[in-house]
Every structure is written in C-alpha cells, then in structure tokens.
Amino acid sequence: MDSAPLTTGTGTTAERKTAFDLARFMPYRLAVLADEVSATIAQVYVDRFDLNRDQWRILAWLGNHRDMQAKEVARLAGLDKMQMSRALARLEEVKLVSIKPDTQDRRGNVLQLTKQGRALYEKITPLVIAREEYLLASLTPDEIASLDTIIAKLRRQAADLKARG
Amino acid sequence: MDSAPLTTGTGTTAERKTAFDLARFMPYRLAVLADEVSATIAQVYVDRFDLNRDQWRILAWLGNHRDMQAKEVARLAGLDKMQMSRALARLEEVKLVSIKPDTQDRRGNVLQLTKQGRALYEKITPLVIAREEYLLASLTPDEIASLDTIIAKLRRQAADLKARG
DNA sequence: TATTGTTATACTCTATAACTATA
DNA sequence: TATAGTTATAGAGTATAACAATA
C-alpha cells in the first residue's frame, strides 16, 4: 500500500475533480494505519493467548475496574449486546471471567475477572504496553500531544457527520 | 465509548501494573477513531451507492488511473487476490468495471471503468471529498502537517514490530 | 412498557487451499 | 516452477429480530 501526504483541501473544484487520490485520502490512511497498529497488538492477544478483540477488550476493562456491570463494560469497550453476550460466553467457558446476576437489578450481570483471568491480564498488559511504547517512541512529545488533540477533534467532527447522515 | 489522553510511557513499572487503561491506549483509540471516520465515508458509498469497501477502493483507483492491471490495483488498495476477485466479479456484474485479459501477459487482467463506472465515480468523489474537508476543517494547518508525520512514523514502527513478531 | 440479556437465523467476510491458465 | 486469477469450503464475524426475565 502506498504512502502519501494528506490532501489539504486547498485545490480548486476543477483541480479536485480529476485529482481524487485514495493514497492521500485521510480516512483511508487512518484506516490503514489503525489496521497495521491493531495488528501489532493482536499479535499478542490472538497469537499468544487465543483471545479475539472483543474478549481482549473486556479483559482489559475488568483488569482495571473490578465488579463492573456487563452493560457498562459493553458501552466502554464499544460492543453491542450480542457481541458482549458471545464474548462473555467464551470468557466464562474458559474460566477467565465470572458472571453473576446483579443483586440490585436482576436483569443485569456483574462481571469480575477470575484468578486465572487476573493472571492472564497481568501477563498480557506489560506486553501490549511495551508495544505501545515502541510505537510512540518514534514520536516527539509535541507529536504525541498533537495526536491527542487530533483524535479528539476528528472524533467530534465524525460524530457531527454521522448525526447529519 | 470514552475519550481520554494518550498514555505517555512515563509511568514507572509499578504504576503501570495497575494503570493499564484501555481508554488511553493509543492502538485502541486509533482503532475507534478510524472506525468512526470510516463510517462517515461508508455512509456515502454503502448507504447511497450500495458498494462495499473493497469495491469502493477499486473504483477510486480506477477513476484516477485508467487501464490498470488488476494486480496493481489490488496492491494499491490493500486487497488480497481473493478480495480482489470477488469485488471485481460484482463490479463487472453491475457493469461499473470492464475486465479484459492483459494482451502482454494473458494470465493477468486489465481493468477500466465503464461509462457508468466513470459516472458513479464522478458522483461519489465530490461527496467523500467534502466529508474529508469537513473532518480536516477542525484541525489547524500545523495539526494537519503533524498528522501526516505521525501516520508515517507510526506505520514504520508498526512494520518493524510486525516483522519481529 | 422499557431494559438486560440470550437465542435463532441468515448474511457477509475471511482464510486456506485446490485448481486453471499462462509464463 | 512460478504467477494471476478463480473456485470451494469452512470458520468467523455481523445484523435483525424474536424471545425471556425483570423492572
């Protein structure tokens, strides 16, 4: 896949008409980047620990916040109720997560890492943190700060576009 | 889904052990961002024009470079030969792309947009360019330049990690 | 009636490999 | 032998909706 600078929106309409270049199209470049970066993390949780992305996200949240409501984890991890249900079924089957009815509201479930789940979490997190650090090590502090701002701004614009259809 | 600053890699190991926070994890945040941004573009080519992502990418390349080899388009669009074969079958079926054996090397195919394909391309590109411009309008020129650098640097680091396993 | 979660179903995608044809 | 592309097949993931239990 090619690499190229971002389009800047400064061309005239006439120029743009024949100048649409996927390689310079920001949404495409972001998708390619995110895929490649995600793949470096997935190498850890998929290849070494046989979790899929949804299962890993749930494990990650539960490792940092014990006794969470299933609904809350789903919201935080960006999973719908079906993805959540399937991922949890697998995590419970392999005894990484315990699922208990919420005593406050028995429609919901309360989740907790098992001892094994906690051990796996403690094993995986240093590995993925090391990978994140390796990725970020190529950036200057200013660039890291910029990336933070850029992500926030683009997410807001994307949310606006989505809302407008 | 939550928003939060990126981790910076400055914490001690002891701090990090209990501080892994998916919401601040750069690979996760990039994945969420790319999904949201891609969705705003997909609203155009999926919802309004019934193309999937692979078909859209092929159309986009062919719109800008006529008479391309199928293999070259696949490489540029980041598609493997099976994705390419399926997407092309559909594009040919709906008469957006013509597929002809390469006269130089009859194992390969040469692709071209049909008149209808060209018309669709001319219809879609202004819409997706407008969306890209809306997204980028929230960024300063410095941030747009930073994003360019950041994408290039992170892709290089990701490629390094991938190569090492 | 609304919410949490499960199950059913069909559909789409993906990954692997076998296969054809050309070189 | 290697390459471009297709076909076959099974597995994974996705989307929709019907359903049960609880509120």
Side-chain angles (χ1 to χ4, degrees), chain A residues 84-155:
Chain A
M84 190 67 187
S85 179
R86 299 239 160 92
L88 277 180
R90 165 79 177 151
L91 288 172
E92 188 178 42
E93 185 193 338
V94 296
K95 299 194 191 334
L96 294 171
V97 169
S98 81
I99 307 175
K100 289 176 185 163
D102 185 340
T103 51
Q104 308 298 306
D105 177 347
R106 298 205 324 274
R107 290 174 304 185
N109 289 329
V110 172
L111 310 179
Q112 208 176 357
L113 289 185
T114 61
K115 198 179 161 187
Q116 289 159 266
R118 165 90 22 211
L120 182 58
Y121 173 82
E122 301 289 359
K123 231 177 178 174
I124 294 182
T125 51
L127 299 175
V128 299
I129 288 170
R131 288 184 169 232
E132 182 198 31
E133 285 176 352
Y134 182 82
L135 292 164
L136 292 176
S138 65
L139 304 183
T140 66
D142 277 359
E143 285 164 349
I144 291 178
S146 275
L147 181 52
D148 208 53
T149 311
I150 290 165
I151 291 174
K153 285 182 171 180
L154 290 179
R155 286 191 67 189

Side-chain angles (χ1 to χ4, degrees), chain B residues 52 81-83 86 104-107:
Chain B
N52 70 19
K81 63 182 183 175
M82 264 198 37
Q83 291 175 307
R86 298 241 160 90
Q104 307 299 304
D105 177 347
R106 300 208 320 278
R107 291 174 303 185

Side-chain angles (χ1 to χ4, degrees), chain A residues 53-54 70 74-75 77-87:
Chain A
R53 194 204 60 169
D54 295 349
R75 188 184 67 77
L79 305 178
D80 67 29
K81 63 183 183 174
M82 265 198 37
Q83 293 175 305
M84 190 67 187
S85 179
R86 299 239 160 92

